[in-house]
Amino acid sequence: MAAPGRDITVALLGGGTVGGQVARIICENADELASRVGARMVLTGVAVRDLARERAGIDPTLLTTDAASLASSGADVVVELIGGIEPANSWILSAIGAGSSVVTANKALVAERGQYLHDAAEAAGVDLYYEAAVAGAIPLLRPLADSLAGDRVRRVLGIVNGTTNYILTRMDEEAADYAEVLAEAQRLGFAEADPTADVAGYDAAAKAAILASLAFHTRVTLDDVYREGITDVTAEDVAAAKEMGFVVKLLFVAELTQGGLCVRVHPAMVPRSHPLASVRLAFNAVFVEADAAGEVMFYGQGAGGQPTASAVLGDLVTAARHRVTGSLGAAASTHGDFNLLPVTDATTCFYVNLHVIDQPGVLARIAQKFADHGVSISTVRQDGEGDDARLIIRTHAARDGSLYATLADLRSLPEVRQVVGSMRVIRGPGE
């Protein structure tokens, strides 16, 4: 507990886009924040890589390049906004070892070593918060971990990467191809020069691990998440989805199935009637299905300096208030302890686009391959004729492993010129 009248000291590791906003708000809104915390928050230092760079809103006398010393200085709260695994991991452990509570926006670190950091914080009697690691300004992690703790969550799915959602929105609305829209997104600053972390699904997978851990009270790491990006999504896939009443999104899905919990990231066709289908451009949304609460959706801006700073400050105020009152937040819960299943055990519906030879008996032979693996066909549509014949097939729910075995058999059929595309189809609410 802080002594009556004592300031709450804050050490900030990182003075970039988000760090600069955090520092500015702490200084400019000091009186208002003090009324919420019960004591004044005072910045003791801001660790940066380049002292010469101008940083609006940050007192230059606070700047230092010695992040390690600042992390271990014993400040009441250390805020880590550097990113990456190391040296951020070492600095956070140093801060915890020095008795500091920690606030971080480091999704990669939390996804990989979150439980270890939680254990260290619990042993030291300090707080560890990371609301800003997922979905920017959307209040999401604590509602999942705390507000729904008494409920049984069945499925959590959503859009947690703004870059890919921007690209897929443009492909859907303008019938553009992937490469064209990616180049545009890079020009506009929605995508990095090297967009791999986003378009290959790494960013979403890290967030999926965090969300699944909290929603299902089970230790889930990045290695437990199946990952598939959007680089193979074609304009034809998007057009086919549109014709069938769907929109393509890069989704994370964490759901209970027979035998345990499956967590995955992949493109999926979402019914246009589903609330997630209306999430456009760089916005994020997470949809929760639970026994008592029913269906709940969280929506908002998922990235950017101000939205992310808002989430950081929310955690910072909570951690600072706990310092004033001598209390702690709830420790990480792993009471669910579900078995983690491979994606081949997931059950879902599929869309399959086949380029086939147009002759009698072809459909029957293709249907037999689906039946051989226990995959039931829901609908079939033929487009074109002769050398340009296409079969668009939707299946009923089946195991992923069974569908991929079916696709392997289809590729061996002489009647199938090419498996043009395949994609999972997400059921609508209540289905």
Side-chain angles (χ1 to χ4, degrees):
M1 179 184 294
R6 183 176 76 80
D7 293 334
I8 297 297
T9 54
V10 179
L12 181 58
L13 309 182
T17 302
V18 178
Q21 290 287 346
V22 171
R24 178 187 63 78
I25 293 171
I26 289 174
C27 295
E28 291 182 0
N29 298 349
D31 292 339
E32 185 176 349
L33 290 172
S35 67
R36 299 175 190 176
V37 171
R40 198 171 189 84
M41 291 196 295
V42 177
L43 273 177
T44 59
V46 181
V48 297
R49 292 189 178 92
D50 181 8
L51 291 176
R53 177 182 163 190
E54 185 176 346
R55 300 173 193 275
I58 302 179
D59 182 348
T61 63
L62 294 174
L63 300 179
T64 176
T65 57
D66 191 355
S69 295
L70 187 60
S72 60
S73 64
D76 287 300
V77 185
V78 172
V79 179
E80 185 273 312
L81 301 173
I82 299 292
I85 304 301
E86 286 293 351
N89 176 66
S90 296
W91 292 340
I92 288 176
L93 290 175
S94 293
I96 291 172
S100 302
S101 290
V102 171
V103 172
T104 179
N106 194 331
K107 57 183 172 289
L109 180 58
V110 175
E112 184 171 306
R113 294 179 58 80
Q115 190 59 50
Y116 181 83
L117 295 174
H118 267 294
D119 290 345
E122 186 175 2
V126 298
D127 282 324
L128 172 67
Y129 289 120
Y130 43 87
E131 184 71 60
V134 180
I138 305 173
L140 177 59
L141 301 190
R142 279 203 286 278
L144 275 180
D146 300 334
S147 302
L148 293 172
D151 206 342
R152 184 174 179 84
V153 174
R154 295 292 182 178
R155 183 167 73 151
V156 182
L157 67 161
I159 299 160
V160 290
N161 182 270
T163 298
T164 53
N165 202 52
Y166 176 88
I167 292 169
L168 292 171
T169 300
R170 299 282 292 189
M171 290 177 70
D172 174 70
E173 295 179 353
E174 299 184 15
D177 63 29
Y178 169 78
E180 175 188 347
V181 179
L182 173 60
E184 176 191 86
Q186 289 172 316
R187 287 195 302 272
L188 295 174
F190 286 109
E192 301 288 344
D194 179 2
T196 303
D198 295 318
V199 299
Y202 290 102
D203 175 81
K207 295 169 181 174
I210 296 169
L211 290 167
S213 297
L214 296 173
F216 295 96
H217 305 278
T218 296
R219 297 185 183 189
V220 180
T221 70
L222 186 57
D223 290 338
D224 299 315
V225 181
Y226 171 80
R227 176 191 53 78
E228 194 178 306
I230 67 167
T231 53
D232 292 330
V233 176
T234 66
E236 185 172 344
D237 291 330
V238 174
K242 198 167 191 174
E243 288 179 12
M244 294 186 292
F246 293 84
V247 62
V248 177
K249 299 290 186 183
L250 182 72
L251 294 185
F252 87 88
V253 183
E255 63 183 339
L256 293 178
T257 186
Q258 289 186 344
L261 174 65
C262 183
V263 187
R264 58 195 195 269
V265 167
H266 51 67
M269 292 185 177
V270 179
R272 289 188 182 268
S273 59
H274 196 291
L276 288 174
S278 63
V279 180
R280 299 177 62 254
L281 301 174
F283 279 79
N284 285 191
V286 172
F287 193 81
V288 181
E289 298 171 9
D291 283 355
E295 296 159 356
V296 180
M297 192 167 89
F298 301 85
Y299 168 84
Q301 294 191 53
Q306 288 186 321
T308 305
S310 172
V312 170
L313 283 155
D315 282 347
L316 177 55
V317 166
T318 300
R321 188 184 296 129
H322 287 169
R323 284 281 166 155
V324 172
T325 61
S327 57
L328 285 175
S333 169
T334 58
H335 66 78
D337 197 25
F338 292 105
N339 292 326
L340 295 170
L341 304 178
V343 71
T344 49
D345 285 352
T347 300
T348 188
C349 304
F350 273 84
Y351 140 91
V352 180
N353 184 347
L354 303 176
H355 185 189
V356 301
I357 295 173
D358 186 11
Q359 62 184 31
V362 169
L363 179 56
R365 286 189 286 276
I366 287 172
Q368 185 58 52
K369 292 300 182 183
F370 280 87
D372 288 346
H373 294 283
V375 180
S376 174
I377 293 175
S378 171
T379 62
V380 179
R381 188 184 82 230
Q382 179 172 330
D383 291 336
E385 58 185 14
D387 291 339
D388 193 35
R390 299 290 178 96
L391 288 179
I392 307 296
I393 298 171
R394 277 182 58 201
T395 76
H396 290 293
R399 290 181 65 255
D400 265 48
S402 299
L403 191 283
Y404 276 95
T406 303
L407 292 177
D409 278 1
L410 290 174
R411 290 187 177 97
S412 68
L413 280 179
E415 296 90 347
V416 176
R417 296 181 183 275
Q418 182 186 5
V419 177
V420 180
S422 65
M423 193 178 298
R424 294 165 183 85
V425 179
I426 296 298
R427 67 181 187 271
E431 292 182 20

